[in-house]
Amino acid sequence: MPALKWGLIGASDIAATRVIGAIRASGGDAVGVYSGSADRARDFAASHGLPNFTTDLDELLGWDIDAVYISSANDKHFVQATKALRAGKHVLGEKPLALRVDEATAMVDLAEQQGLVLAANHHLPGSPLHAKVRELVQAGTIGTVLSAKVAHAVLLPERLRGWRLGKTTPGSGVILDITCHDASVLNPLLGTPVAVTAVAVQQAAWNSGGQEDAAMTVIRYERDGAPAVLAQTHDSFTVGYAGTSLEVHGTEGTLQVIDAMTQDTKGQVVLTNAAGVQTVDVDCSEDLYVIGLRAFTAAVEGTGTPTATGRDGLMALKVALAAQESAHSGRTVHIN
C-alpha cells in the first residue's frame, strides 16, 4: 500500500515530541494539523514541516488523508473521533479514549460498523518488555499467576504542569493520566478486571490546581478456571528519584521488569524461580511509538493488529474511571 497519510487533531506536546517522528519512521506522511488556535496551528505546522494547518476540523477531514491522530483535550476526543470515523478515517486516539464508558463504547461500535481501525495510543503494551512478560506468563513459566504490582511514580515535567492539575478540567488528574496506562499493561496480562479500590491525594507543593497528583489502587482480576488475581499500582506526578517497575508473582516464580513503564525504556526482565535468578534477553532498542505506529499501519493494511485496540482502550478507561470513582467515594467500585 502507499504511505499512510495522517491528519493531526491537536497541536500537542505528545504529537510534537513523539508521534510525528513515529509516523514518519513507520513510513507514513503527516499532512497537516488542526488546532482551535490559528496561531498555534500555524506555528506548529511551521515547526514540524507540515504543509497544511487549519482551525476547521471539517476542512482537515476533507484533506487527502487516510487516518487521524487525536491528541486534543480529553473532553474533545469523543466528538472528534466520531466525526473522523463518520468521514471514513481510521483513528488513533490519545488516552483516555473518551471520558465516559458509553462514549468509548459508541466509538468502538462505530469503527466496527464502518470497517475502520480505531486504536488507543497506549504505548506500553507494544513494549518488547511487556510482550516478553505476556509470552512467559502464557507459557506457564511462573505457574499460576497470583498477583502483580506496578510502580509508576514519576515527576511530572514542569512543561506539563498545566491542565493535568486543574481540578475542574475534564479528564485531569493522575488516575486518567497514568493509571489507565497501567491498566493497558495489566488487562491483557491478567484477565478481566472486575473491581477496583483506590485512594488518591494531592502532594506536590507546586500543584496549585487542586487535582490529585498521587494514587494507589488495588484491582481484582478474574479468569476462567483460575484463582482471582490482585494487582497493585502506585501512580504519581510527585516522585523524582524512583524507577518504574512491574512485578508478576506466580506459584512457580516471579517476573520482575525493571524500568518498565517509561517512554524511553531500556529495561530488563528478570525471572526468579527454584533454579535461581536469571535475566531474560529482550531487545529494547526500538522506539515504542514507532512500534505502535507500525502496528496501526499493519492493521489498516489488514496484516496486523494495533498494540492497543479500541476495545483495549475501552477496558483501560473502565479501570481508570472505576479507580477515580473509588478514590472519591471511599468504596470499592465494581466494573460491569
Side-chain angles (χ1 to χ4, degrees), residues 148-155 174-175 178-183 186 197-201 203 213-219 231-246 261:
K149 181 167 64 174
V150 172
H152 201 166
V154 296
L155 185 63
V174 70
I175 290 175
I178 297 183
T179 308
C180 63
H181 276 313
D182 302 344
L186 294 170
T197 306
V199 177
V201 296
Q203 294 180 325
D213 52 26
M216 290 188 175
T217 68
V218 176
I219 310 165
Q232 173 190 350
T233 76
H234 175 204
D235 302 310
S236 177
F237 290 151
T238 65
V239 176
Y241 303 99
T244 68
S245 64
L246 167 69
M261 311 299 289

Side-chain angles (χ1 to χ4, degrees), residues 10-295:
S12 65
D13 181 86
I14 189 69
T17 59
R18 301 286 180 173
V19 174
I20 292 175
I23 286 173
R24 291 167 174 162
S26 63
D29 179 21
V31 171
V33 62
Y34 158 87
S35 174
S37 163
D39 290 342
R40 184 170 178 83
R42 181 191 63 246
D43 294 346
F44 190 92
S47 297
H48 301 286
L50 307 178
N52 302 290
F53 65 89
T54 183
T55 58
D56 184 338
L57 182 57
D58 290 329
E59 180 183 351
L60 178 141
L61 295 174
W63 292 343
D64 181 20
I65 58 174
D66 307 297
V68 298
Y69 166 61
I70 300 176
S71 60
S72 54
N74 289 342
D75 59 327
K76 295 181 172 61
H77 291 179
F78 170 66
V79 171
Q80 292 171 342
T82 299
K83 289 193 74 169
L85 290 167
R86 292 197 183 282
K89 312 303 180 185
H90 304 283
V91 174
L92 175 62
E94 199 48 68
K95 57 79 196 168
L97 205 58
L99 292 183
R100 291 171 28 182
V101 169
D102 60 340
E103 291 179 345
T105 302
M107 290 163 61
V108 171
D109 290 344
L110 178 59
E112 292 178 353
Q113 292 164 12
Q114 297 283 90
L116 296 166
V117 176
L118 169 67
N121 196 32
H122 285 293
H123 56 286
L124 291 173
S127 163
L129 296 168
H130 296 298
K132 177 57 70 172
V133 169
R134 292 194 298 271
E135 175 189 324
L136 292 171
V137 166
Q138 290 165 8
T141 304
I142 60 171
T144 300
V145 175
L146 304 172
S147 61
K149 181 167 64 174
V150 172
H152 201 166
V154 296
L155 185 63
L156 186 66
E158 287 190 31
R159 75 178 193 279
L160 301 181
R161 295 175 189 176
W163 65 265
R164 287 171 176 80
L165 304 173
K167 195 170 183 65
T168 61
T169 305
S172 62
V174 70
I175 290 175
L176 282 176
D177 199 64
I178 297 183
T179 308
C180 63
H181 276 313
D182 302 344
S184 76
V185 168
L186 294 170
N187 291 348
L189 180 65
L190 302 180
T192 302
V194 297
V196 182
T197 306
V199 177
V201 296
Q202 181 182 347
Q203 294 180 325
W206 42 258
N207 178 3
S208 60
Q211 184 59 281
E212 292 97 342
D213 52 26
M216 290 188 175
T217 68
V218 176
I219 310 165
R220 176 187 171 110
Y221 285 88
E222 292 185 355
R223 298 164 297 160
D224 291 340
V229 177
L230 293 179
Q232 173 190 350
T233 76
H234 175 204
D235 302 310
S236 177
F237 290 151
T238 65
V239 176
Y241 303 99
T244 68
S245 64
L246 167 69
E247 295 177 10
V248 187
H249 307 291
T251 55
E252 305 299 327
T254 285
L255 288 164
Q256 182 182 20
V257 190
I258 301 165
D259 194 16
M261 311 299 289
T262 58
Q263 293 171 310
D264 298 304
T265 181
K266 295 293 186 289
Q268 62 180 158
V269 177
V270 178
L271 169 64
T272 304
N273 56 20
V277 180
Q278 59 179 299
T279 300
V280 180
D281 289 335
V282 182
D283 181 359
C284 296
S285 60
E286 193 164 28
D287 180 89
L288 300 189
Y289 292 90
V290 175
I291 292 173
L293 265 294
R294 187 186 302 119

